[in-house]
Amino acid sequence: MRAADLTTKAATSAPTEGRVMYAGMRTLDVPGDPVARLWHSATMLREHRGDGHIAALLGAHIGGTEAHVLSALEMNIHPPESFGRIHHLPKERLATVMDGLRERGLIDADGHFTDTGRATKQRVEALTDELATPPYDALSPAELDELITELQPITAALVAADSQ
């Protein structure tokens, strides 16, 4: 499976500095089976991106629970405290997080994005995208196009199955 080969080439090429989850994944053996190799390599790429996302959030002084609140708002979940990833947290903790986001001007009194909050979230996402590119530098433009083409049927099947 060519997609597995190209994904593995990208996933095993990026520097590991500052990427603890990605670095950990890189220490594992790459499976020989093409489907397992594709899955493993996609996981490495996901962890590489995730490590960059954490760096972008920390650079914007956004903590974990705050990041979940902002993600909930981006997904139009209101109140954001009802988001499945944080709804179980103590109400006092959620109130403190919401108060902190209000004080920083990221959300308004009703718990919705302010312009500043939306711009901050967009900056974090743009930086995350930028920080996620190094693995793909290992692929030529033709290989990158080939990888995208190879993955389109898999993507379509996942979308059709309502996979998240």
Side-chain angles (χ1 to χ4, degrees):
M1 174 188 290
R2 183 73 172 141
D5 295 338
L6 293 171
T7 304
T8 301
K9 182 178 179 179
T12 58
S13 71
T16 57
E17 292 83 11
R19 309 261 184 179
V20 294
M21 293 299 292
Y22 172 69
M25 289 295 303
R26 286 275 303 271
T27 67
L28 302 175
D29 291 334
V30 176
D33 174 74
V35 174
R37 190 169 66 250
L38 176 62
W39 185 270
H40 178 77
S41 296
T43 300
M44 282 194 284
L45 291 169
R46 182 192 71 226
E47 295 303 343
H48 182 276
R49 181 180 181 78
D51 287 338
H53 188 58
I54 290 169
L57 287 165
L58 290 174
H61 306 286
I62 296 171
T65 305
E66 292 173 326
H68 288 306
V69 168
L70 298 180
S71 290
L73 291 174
E74 189 171 53
M75 293 184 280
N76 295 315
I77 297 172
H78 200 269
E81 300 95 326
S82 67
F83 185 36
R85 294 181 182 166
I86 59 172
H87 76 279
H88 64 283
L89 295 174
K91 301 293 181 214
E92 301 81 28
R93 178 173 172 194
L94 291 173
T96 299
V97 168
M98 296 298 287
D99 288 344
L101 291 170
R102 280 186 194 95
E103 288 170 14
R104 291 171 46 206
L106 301 178
I107 63 172
D108 63 21
D110 296 323
H112 293 280
F113 267 128
T114 61
D115 290 343
T116 299
R118 188 173 313 283
T120 299
K121 177 73 169 143
Q122 289 169 348
R123 276 194 310 278
V124 166
E125 296 304 325
L127 181 55
T128 298
D129 289 346
E130 180 183 332
L131 293 172
T133 62
Y136 304 98
D137 293 341
L139 302 178
S140 71
E143 287 174 321
L144 187 55
D145 288 344
E146 184 180 2
L147 177 59
I148 291 167
T149 299
E150 289 282 321
L151 293 176
Q152 283 175 335
I154 296 169
T155 302
L158 291 171
V159 169
D162 199 28
S163 175
Q164 299 203 17

